[in-house]
Amino acid sequence: MTDHSEIDSVTGRATTGHEWDGIKELNTPLPRWWVICFYLTIVWSIGYWIVYPAWPLISSNTTGLFGYSSRADVAVELANLEKIRGDKMAALGAASLADIEKDPALLALARAKGKTVFGDNCAPCHGSGAAGAKGFPNLNDDDWLWGGTLDQIMQTIQFGARSGHAKTHEGQMLAFGKDGVLKPDEIVTVANYVRSLSGLSTRKGYDPAKGEKIFADNCVACHGDGGKGNQELGAPNLTDKIWLYGSDEATLIETISQGRAGVMPAWEGRLDPSTIKAMAVYVHSLGGGK
Amino acid sequence: MNKTVNPKDLTSDDDVGPLYAARKKVYPQSVQGTFRRIKWGLMAFCLGVYYFLPFVRWNRGLGAPSQAVLIDLPNSRFYFFFIELWPQEVYYFTGLLIVAAVALFLMNSVGGRIWCGYLCPQTVWTDLFYAVERLIEGDRRERMKKDASTDPMKLERISEIVLKHSIWLLIAWWTGGAWVLYFNDAPTLVKELVTFQAPMIAYVWIGILTATTYVLAGYMREQVCTYMCPWPRIQAALTDEWALNVTYRYDRGEKRTSVKKAAELRALGEQVGDCVDCYQCVAVCPTGIDIRNGPQLECIQCGLCIDACDNVMAKIGRQKRLIGYDNDINIQRRQEGKAPIYRIVRPRTIAYSAIIAAVGGIMIYVLATRTLLDINVLHDRNPVAIKLSDGSIRNAYTARLLNKSGHDRVIAIDIDGPANATIHVVGADSVTPDRPMIVIPRDSTSELRLLVTAPAESNPEKSIPVHFHVTDIGLGEAASTIDNFVAP
């Protein structure tokens, strides 16, 4: 090897032989302990590669000596979390619905729990903010098909609607057109009558008296006098501003002709009782609850 | 230390020189003088504050911690005498860090590395450890002799070493112990520590800090400054030609000769320097450098060489401060026969002082006008607005109420938004439906769900502002915030 080192005349120290723009680099070596630390980190990293999962293989990775995995760590953490929360969830299960809403700590817990469970189970139909969609009720508003008290909400979550559960809500909007109960022109007339109930505009030349008569003969049984609805049967209030499937004439004609029978699944058995309780409190606190 | 390599020591077949350099142990000699006294004083002050501050009490009323300085991690509170900070007020620390950084710059532009030489914990503890070492093993020469001795260890020497390390470990242990006291009620924790009831984490931290203190101050010493600390590098970029640094006045010192020879030459009317090459400045230096080589990265500017040189100058009847706080401009000026000038007040120092004053002023103002009741509101985004069955519009908000005072509050919430709009707090409906009232426990936050409903006839066309007012109905203290009311 050739000798690049030379002595810098100013400092009297050796140079590394490297030179940039006339500036030469002095050889300033590191202290021994520093270099040893550096080598130790290299040794450490080799140990790390062997002991812990590290090297990616084609379809897996080296698993390390102790079978450590971060997934197992997460599982342990989650189990611990359940244990820590056990008491609080038990308190939630023991309290009555009304008491939960009065206790700020329980309310906060129920809302937090309810929100996550809602996101996992209810959001696909009702939307992540519970704002609903066509055919799926908005849970933020104050219009309830099956009732909006805490107990009623909990009952609906537990047993669902037309879910097949023994205690489920039952109630059908009949298919007046398909089943041949009403003629097409009668359906148009009664659809316009229903629009008039909530102050919406009606078709030119429509006969209100005829509409009222058809409504009285066919619809009052479920929707009640004046179309105020009946929560026992899940029959919507036809006089308010909220429409599950839409309030335009074409939609109403379709609803009357084909009927409606949306299904809400029963959650009893799928979610534990205290979780269902938390859900009921959460939905109630969205603002629509009575 | 980077010692000058004698060209003769280099072997020609060595391509790039050694990969590492062995540490040359430094044996600083004891010295007496002005700067040593300043250093003792500051050391006593700094250590006194550090070790005893956790025991200072401060009455904050019932239920609140009575420790003057406390970092309460479990409850996310920081107490500093009359100041109590919450996590959302962490920006005070930002302000404090800015002030600290600029104060460091200011010190640096006035008197160089004052921080390094007198205040840095590394300097303070290393100095303390040196003092212990000197007390037990003797001064420089004795220590060098003892370390170099190849005689078998005598009982006396062994007991010296054991005693030294015991005292070092005791200091280190107390240092770690004082650290954890800042995170819990000090007297309680001391009792728990003694009876082994304290949480594991306390012992772990004491262990860590005992180890770092012992290793850093006992063994690493000046190497921390030279190899580990970034400040010498940054400092070099921040300093300017007016900053006063510990400087060897070579205009006065050169050329160096012995006392005897200097006297002879002076008698002949020849020009000789005051430096007598006694190497006292090197002997006392805690980083083991020769200040006469000019400004160096390793120099922490502790001023001990000034004391050492002054003592020698006094003995040989020459003027003091051959080494002193000075700068190269003055050396140049004296060589040209001009009087030296010192400029403490200059644009740089004025700018730094102004920044410190401004940031400090803002912090004091914000602290003084800090409210103990606060509300933050976040508009629900999903959905932003809801149409109700009667045609009215409702917006939902998540409100966070902060009660920073030491007592529970009953607060009422009012709004000022769309005409005839009403507010409802989920969970508070049964008591006061039109003007909801809520109890917020002392020293805590409450998250509430607020529903604001505007009747159909006052539905806004577009988004309009809505003010939320919270009022402590007992004390009248109030806070407000603003958000928007949106129509679908």
Side-chain angles (χ1 to χ4, degrees), chain A residues 129-191:
Chain A
K134 187 176 173 180
F136 301 101
N138 183 343
L139 305 176
N140 291 276
D141 66 27
D142 61 343
D143 197 31
W144 295 90
L145 289 170
W146 305 99
T149 66
L150 271 169
D151 288 320
Q152 286 169 325
I153 291 171
M154 178 142 153
Q155 198 190 355
T156 307
I157 297 170
Q158 267 180 306
F159 308 126
R162 307 174 196 100
S163 65
H165 190 282
K167 294 183 187 170
T168 189
H169 290 308
E170 291 292 359
Q172 296 266 346
M173 170 71 191
L174 301 174
F176 289 90
K178 203 165 79 176
D179 296 348
V181 182
L182 292 174
K183 293 188 191 71
D185 64 314
E186 287 176 320
I187 291 173
V188 172
T189 307
V190 79

Coordinates of all heavy atoms in Angstrom, one line a residue, chain A residues 129-191:
Chain A
G129 N -72.2 7.4 10.9 CA -72.7 8.5 11.8 C -74.2 8.2 12.2 O -74.8 9.1 12.7
A130 N -74.7 7.0 11.8 CA -76.1 6.7 12.1 C -77.1 7.6 11.3 O -78.2 7.8 11.8 CB -76.4 6.7 13.6
A131 N -76.6 8.1 10.2 CA -77.5 9.0 9.5 C -78.4 8.3 8.5 O -79.3 8.9 7.9 CB -76.7 10.1 8.7
G132 N -78.3 7.0 8.5 CA -79.2 6.1 7.7 C -79.0 6.3 6.2 O -78.1 7.0 5.7
A133 N -79.9 5.7 5.4 CA -80.0 5.9 4.0 C -81.4 5.5 3.6 O -82.2 5.2 4.4 CB -78.9 4.9 3.4
K134 N -81.6 5.5 2.3 CA -83.0 5.1 1.8 C -83.3 3.7 2.3 O -82.6 2.8 2.0 CB -83.0 5.2 0.3 CG -84.4 5.0 -0.3 CD -84.4 5.2 -1.7 CE -85.8 4.9 -2.2 NZ -86.0 5.0 -3.7
G135 N -84.4 3.6 3.0 CA -84.8 2.3 3.5 C -84.1 1.9 4.9 O -84.5 1.0 5.5
F136 N -83.1 2.7 5.3 CA -82.5 2.4 6.6 C -82.6 3.7 7.4 O -82.1 4.7 7.1 CB -81.0 2.1 6.4 CG -80.8 0.9 5.5 CD1 -80.5 1.0 4.2 CD2 -81.0 -0.4 6.0 CE1 -80.3 -0.1 3.4 CE2 -80.8 -1.5 5.2 CZ -80.5 -1.4 3.9
P137 N -83.4 3.6 8.5 CA -83.7 4.8 9.3 C -82.5 5.6 9.8 O -81.5 5.0 10.1 CB -84.5 4.3 10.5 CG -85.0 2.9 10.1 CD -84.0 2.4 9.1
N138 N -82.7 6.9 9.7 CA -81.7 7.8 10.4 C -82.0 7.8 11.9 O -83.1 8.0 12.3 CB -82.0 9.2 9.8 CG -81.0 10.2 10.3 OD1 -80.3 10.0 11.3 ND2 -80.9 11.4 9.7
L139 N -80.9 7.4 12.6 CA -81.1 7.3 14.1 C -80.8 8.6 14.8 O -81.0 8.7 16.0 CB -80.2 6.2 14.6 CG -80.4 4.8 13.9 CD1 -79.4 3.8 14.5 CD2 -81.8 4.3 14.1
N140 N -80.5 9.6 14.1 CA -80.2 10.9 14.7 C -81.5 11.7 14.9 O -81.6 12.6 15.7 CB -79.2 11.7 13.9 CG -77.8 11.1 14.0 OD1 -77.1 11.4 14.9 ND2 -77.5 10.3 13.0
D141 N -82.5 11.4 14.0 CA -83.7 12.3 14.0 C -84.7 11.7 15.1 O -84.4 10.7 15.7 CB -84.3 12.4 12.6 CG -84.8 11.1 12.1 OD1 -85.2 10.3 12.9 OD2 -84.8 11.0 10.8
D142 N -85.8 12.4 15.2 CA -86.8 12.1 16.2 C -87.9 11.3 15.7 O -88.9 11.2 16.4 CB -87.3 13.4 16.9 CG -88.0 14.3 15.9 OD1 -87.8 14.0 14.7 OD2 -88.7 15.2 16.3
D143 N -87.8 10.7 14.6 CA -88.9 9.9 14.0 C -88.6 8.4 14.2 O -87.5 7.9 13.7 CB -89.1 10.2 12.5 CG -90.4 9.7 12.0 OD1 -91.4 9.7 12.8 OD2 -90.5 9.4 10.8
W144 N -89.4 7.7 14.9 CA -89.1 6.3 15.3 C -90.2 5.4 14.8 O -91.4 5.6 15.1 CB -88.9 6.1 16.8 CG -87.7 6.9 17.2 CD1 -87.7 8.2 17.7 CD2 -86.3 6.4 17.3 NE1 -86.4 8.6 18.0 CE2 -85.5 7.5 17.7 CE3 -85.7 5.2 17.0 CZ2 -84.2 7.4 17.9 CZ3 -84.4 5.1 17.1 CH2 -83.6 6.2 17.6
L145 N -89.9 4.4 14.0 CA -90.9 3.4 13.6 C -91.4 2.5 14.7 O -92.6 2.2 14.8 CB -90.3 2.5 12.5 CG -90.0 3.2 11.2 CD1 -89.2 2.2 10.3 CD2 -91.3 3.6 10.5
W146 N -90.5 2.2 15.6 CA -90.8 1.2 16.7 C -90.7 1.9 18.0 O -90.6 1.2 19.0 CB -89.9 0.0 16.6 CG -90.0 -0.7 15.2 CD1 -89.1 -0.6 14.3 CD2 -91.0 -1.6 14.7 NE1 -89.4 -1.3 13.2 CE2 -90.6 -1.9 13.4 CE3 -92.2 -2.1 15.2 CZ2 -91.4 -2.8 12.6 CZ3 -92.9 -2.9 14.4 CH2 -92.5 -3.3 13.1
G147 N -90.6 3.2 18.1 CA -90.5 3.9 19.4 C -89.1 4.3 19.7 O -88.1 3.5 19.4
G148 N -88.9 5.4 20.3 CA -87.6 6.0 20.6 C -87.2 6.1 22.0 O -86.2 6.8 22.3
T149 N -88.0 5.5 22.9 CA -87.5 5.5 24.3 C -86.3 4.6 24.5 O -86.1 3.7 23.6 CB -88.6 5.1 25.3 OG1 -88.9 3.8 25.1 CG2 -89.9 6.0 25.1
L150 N -85.6 4.7 25.6 CA -84.5 3.8 25.8 C -84.9 2.3 25.7 O -84.2 1.5 25.1 CB -83.9 4.1 27.2 CG -82.8 5.1 27.2 CD1 -82.5 5.5 28.7 CD2 -81.5 4.7 26.6
D151 N -86.0 2.0 26.4 CA -86.4 0.6 26.4 C -86.8 0.1 25.0 O -86.5 -1.0 24.6 CB -87.6 0.5 27.4 CG -87.2 0.6 28.8 OD1 -86.1 0.1 29.2 OD2 -87.9 1.3 29.6
Q152 N -87.5 1.0 24.3 CA -88.0 0.6 23.0 C -86.8 0.4 22.0 O -86.7 -0.5 21.2 CB -88.9 1.7 22.4 CG -90.3 1.6 23.0 CD -91.1 2.8 22.6 OE1 -90.6 3.9 22.5 NE2 -92.4 2.6 22.5
I153 N -85.8 1.3 22.1 CA -84.6 1.2 21.3 C -83.9 -0.1 21.6 O -83.5 -0.9 20.7 CB -83.6 2.4 21.5 CG1 -84.3 3.6 20.9 CG2 -82.3 2.1 20.8 CD1 -83.5 4.9 21.2
M154 N -83.8 -0.4 22.9 CA -83.1 -1.6 23.3 C -83.8 -2.9 22.8 O -83.2 -3.8 22.3 CB -83.0 -1.7 24.8 CG -82.3 -2.9 25.3 SD -81.2 -2.7 26.7 CE -81.3 -4.3 27.4
Q155 N -85.2 -2.8 22.9 CA -86.0 -3.9 22.4 C -85.7 -4.2 20.9 O -85.6 -5.3 20.5 CB -87.4 -3.6 22.7 CG -88.3 -4.9 22.7 CD -89.8 -4.5 22.7 OE1 -90.2 -3.3 22.8 NE2 -90.6 -5.5 22.5
T156 N -85.7 -3.1 20.1 CA -85.5 -3.2 18.7 C -84.1 -3.8 18.4 O -84.0 -4.7 17.5 CB -85.7 -1.8 18.0 OG1 -86.9 -1.3 18.4 CG2 -85.6 -2.0 16.5
I157 N -83.1 -3.4 19.2 CA -81.8 -3.9 18.9 C -81.7 -5.4 19.3 O -81.2 -6.2 18.5 CB -80.7 -3.1 19.8 CG1 -80.6 -1.7 19.3 CG2 -79.3 -3.8 19.6 CD1 -79.8 -0.8 20.3
Q158 N -82.4 -5.7 20.4 CA -82.3 -7.1 20.9 C -83.0 -8.1 19.9 O -82.4 -9.1 19.5 CB -83.1 -7.2 22.2 CG -82.2 -7.1 23.4 CD -83.0 -7.2 24.7 OE1 -84.0 -6.5 24.9 NE2 -82.6 -8.1 25.6
F159 N -84.2 -7.7 19.5 CA -85.0 -8.7 18.8 C -85.2 -8.3 17.3 O -85.6 -9.2 16.5 CB -86.4 -8.8 19.4 CG -86.3 -9.0 20.9 CD1 -87.0 -8.2 21.8 CD2 -85.6 -10.1 21.4 CE1 -86.9 -8.4 23.1 CE2 -85.5 -10.3 22.8 CZ -86.2 -9.5 23.6
G160 N -84.8 -7.1 16.9 CA -84.9 -6.7 15.5 C -86.3 -6.5 15.0 O -87.3 -6.5 15.8
A161 N -86.4 -6.3 13.7 CA -87.8 -6.2 13.1 C -87.8 -7.2 11.9 O -86.9 -7.2 11.1 CB -87.9 -4.8 12.6
R162 N -88.9 -8.0 11.9 CA -89.1 -9.0 10.9 C -87.8 -9.9 10.8 O -87.5 -10.2 9.7 CB -89.4 -8.3 9.5 CG -90.5 -7.3 9.6 CD -90.7 -6.6 8.3 NE -91.6 -5.4 8.5 CZ -91.1 -4.2 8.6 NH1 -89.8 -4.0 8.5 NH2 -91.9 -3.2 8.8
S163 N -87.2 -10.1 11.9 CA -85.9 -10.8 11.9 C -86.1 -12.3 12.0 O -85.1 -13.0 11.8 CB -85.1 -10.3 13.1 OG -85.7 -10.7 14.3
G164 N -87.3 -12.8 12.3 CA -87.5 -14.2 12.5 C -87.3 -14.6 14.0 O -87.6 -15.7 14.4
H165 N -86.8 -13.7 14.8 CA -86.7 -13.9 16.3 C -88.1 -14.0 16.8 O -89.0 -13.4 16.4 CB -85.9 -12.8 16.9 CG -85.6 -13.1 18.4 ND1 -86.5 -13.0 19.4 CD2 -84.4 -13.5 18.9 CE1 -85.9 -13.3 20.5 NE2 -84.6 -13.6 20.3
A166 N -88.3 -14.9 17.9 CA -89.6 -15.1 18.4 C -90.3 -13.8 18.9 O -91.5 -13.6 18.9 CB -89.5 -16.1 19.6
K167 N -89.4 -12.9 19.4 CA -90.0 -11.6 20.0 C -89.9 -10.5 19.1 O -90.0 -9.3 19.5 CB -89.3 -11.3 21.3 CG -89.5 -12.3 22.4 CD -88.8 -11.9 23.7 CE -88.9 -12.9 24.8 NZ -88.0 -12.5 25.9
T168 N -89.6 -10.7 17.8 CA -89.3 -9.6 16.9 C -90.5 -8.7 16.7 O -91.7 -9.2 16.9 CB -88.7 -10.1 15.6 OG1 -88.3 -9.1 14.8 CG2 -89.9 -10.9 14.8
H169 N -90.3 -7.5 16.2 CA -91.3 -6.6 15.8 C -91.9 -7.2 14.5 O -91.1 -7.6 13.6 CB -90.8 -5.2 15.5 CG -90.4 -4.4 16.7 ND1 -91.2 -4.2 17.8 CD2 -89.2 -3.8 16.9 CE1 -90.5 -3.5 18.7 NE2 -89.3 -3.2 18.2
E170 N -93.2 -7.2 14.4 CA -93.8 -7.7 13.2 C -94.7 -6.5 12.6 O -95.1 -5.7 13.3 CB -94.8 -8.9 13.4 CG -94.0 -10.2 13.8 CD -93.2 -10.7 12.6 OE1 -93.2 -10.1 11.5 OE2 -92.5 -11.8 12.9
G171 N -94.9 -6.5 11.3 CA -95.7 -5.5 10.7 C -95.2 -5.4 9.3 O -94.0 -5.4 9.0
Q172 N -96.2 -5.3 8.4 CA -95.9 -5.3 7.0 C -96.6 -4.1 6.3 O -97.7 -3.8 6.6 CB -96.4 -6.6 6.3 CG -95.8 -7.9 6.8 CD -94.6 -8.3 5.9 OE1 -94.4 -7.7 4.8 NE2 -93.8 -9.2 6.4
M173 N -96.0 -3.5 5.4 CA -96.7 -2.6 4.4 C -97.1 -3.5 3.3 O -96.3 -4.2 2.6 CB -95.7 -1.6 3.9 CG -96.3 -0.7 2.8 SD -97.6 0.4 3.4 CE -98.2 1.0 1.8
L174 N -98.4 -3.6 3.1 CA -98.9 -4.6 2.1 C -98.7 -4.1 0.7 O -98.6 -2.9 0.5 CB -100.4 -4.8 2.3 CG -100.8 -5.3 3.7 CD1 -102.4 -5.3 3.9 CD2 -100.2 -6.7 3.9
A175 N -98.6 -5.0 -0.2 CA -98.4 -4.7 -1.6 C -99.8 -4.5 -2.3 O -100.4 -5.4 -2.9 CB -97.6 -5.7 -2.3
F176 N -100.4 -3.3 -2.2 CA -101.7 -3.1 -2.6 C -101.9 -3.2 -4.2 O -102.9 -3.6 -4.7 CB -102.2 -1.7 -2.2 CG -102.5 -1.6 -0.7 CD1 -101.5 -1.2 0.1 CD2 -103.7 -1.9 -0.2 CE1 -101.7 -1.2 1.5 CE2 -104.0 -1.9 1.1 CZ -103.0 -1.5 2.0
G177 N -100.9 -2.9 -4.9 CA -100.9 -3.0 -6.3 C -100.7 -4.5 -6.8 O -101.5 -5.1 -7.5
K178 N -99.6 -5.0 -6.3 CA -99.2 -6.4 -6.7 C -100.3 -7.4 -6.3 O -100.5 -8.3 -7.1 CB -97.9 -6.7 -6.0 CG -97.1 -7.8 -6.7 CD -95.6 -7.8 -6.2 CE -95.6 -8.5 -4.9 NZ -94.2 -8.7 -4.4
D179 N -100.9 -7.2 -5.2 CA -101.9 -8.1 -4.7 C -103.2 -7.9 -5.3 O -104.2 -8.5 -4.9 CB -101.9 -8.1 -3.2 CG -100.6 -8.6 -2.5 OD1 -99.8 -9.1 -3.3 OD2 -100.5 -8.4 -1.3
G180 N -103.4 -6.8 -6.1 CA -104.6 -6.5 -6.8 C -105.7 -5.9 -5.9 O -106.9 -5.9 -6.2
V181 N -105.3 -5.3 -4.7 CA -106.3 -4.7 -3.8 C -106.7 -3.4 -4.4 O -107.9 -3.0 -4.3 CB -105.7 -4.6 -2.4 CG1 -106.7 -4.0 -1.4 CG2 -105.2 -5.9 -1.9
L182 N -105.8 -2.6 -4.9 CA -106.1 -1.3 -5.4 C -105.8 -1.3 -6.9 O -104.8 -1.9 -7.3 CB -105.4 -0.2 -4.7 CG -105.7 0.1 -3.2 CD1 -104.8 1.1 -2.6 CD2 -107.2 0.5 -3.1
K183 N -106.6 -0.5 -7.7 CA -106.3 -0.3 -9.1 C -105.2 0.8 -9.2 O -105.1 1.6 -8.4 CB -107.6 0.1 -9.8 CG -108.6 -1.0 -9.8 CD -109.7 -0.6 -10.8 CE -110.9 -1.5 -10.6 NZ -111.7 -1.3 -9.3
P184 N -104.5 0.7 -10.3 CA -103.5 1.7 -10.5 C -103.9 3.2 -10.3 O -103.2 3.9 -9.7 CB -103.0 1.5 -12.0 CG -103.3 0.0 -12.2 CD -104.5 -0.3 -11.4
D185 N -105.1 3.6 -10.9 CA -105.5 5.0 -10.7 C -105.8 5.3 -9.2 O -105.6 6.4 -8.7 CB -106.7 5.3 -11.6 CG -107.9 4.5 -11.3 OD1 -107.8 3.2 -11.0 OD2 -109.0 5.1 -11.1
E186 N -106.3 4.3 -8.5 CA -106.6 4.5 -7.1 C -105.3 4.7 -6.3 O -105.2 5.5 -5.4 CB -107.3 3.2 -6.5 CG -108.8 3.1 -7.0 CD -109.4 1.9 -6.5 OE1 -108.8 0.8 -6.5 OE2 -110.6 1.9 -6.0
I187 N -104.3 3.9 -6.7 CA -103.0 4.1 -6.1 C -102.4 5.5 -6.3 O -101.9 6.1 -5.3 CB -102.0 3.0 -6.6 CG1 -102.4 1.6 -6.1 CG2 -100.5 3.3 -6.1 CD1 -101.7 0.4 -6.7
V188 N -102.5 6.0 -7.5 CA -102.1 7.3 -7.8 C -102.8 8.3 -6.9 O -102.2 9.2 -6.3 CB -102.2 7.7 -9.3 CG1 -101.9 9.2 -9.5 CG2 -101.4 6.8 -10.1
T189 N -104.1 8.1 -6.8 CA -104.9 9.1 -6.0 C -104.5 9.0 -4.5 O -104.3 10.1 -3.9 CB -106.4 8.7 -6.1 OG1 -106.8 8.6 -7.5 CG2 -107.3 9.7 -5.4
V190 N -104.3 7.8 -4.0 CA -104.0 7.8 -2.6 C -102.6 8.2 -2.3 O -102.3 8.8 -1.2 CB -104.3 6.3 -2.0 CG1 -103.2 5.3 -2.3 CG2 -104.6 6.4 -0.5
A191 N -101.7 8.0 -3.2 CA -100.4 8.5 -3.1 C -100.4 10.0 -3.0 O -99.7 10.6 -2.2 CB -99.5 8.1 -4.3

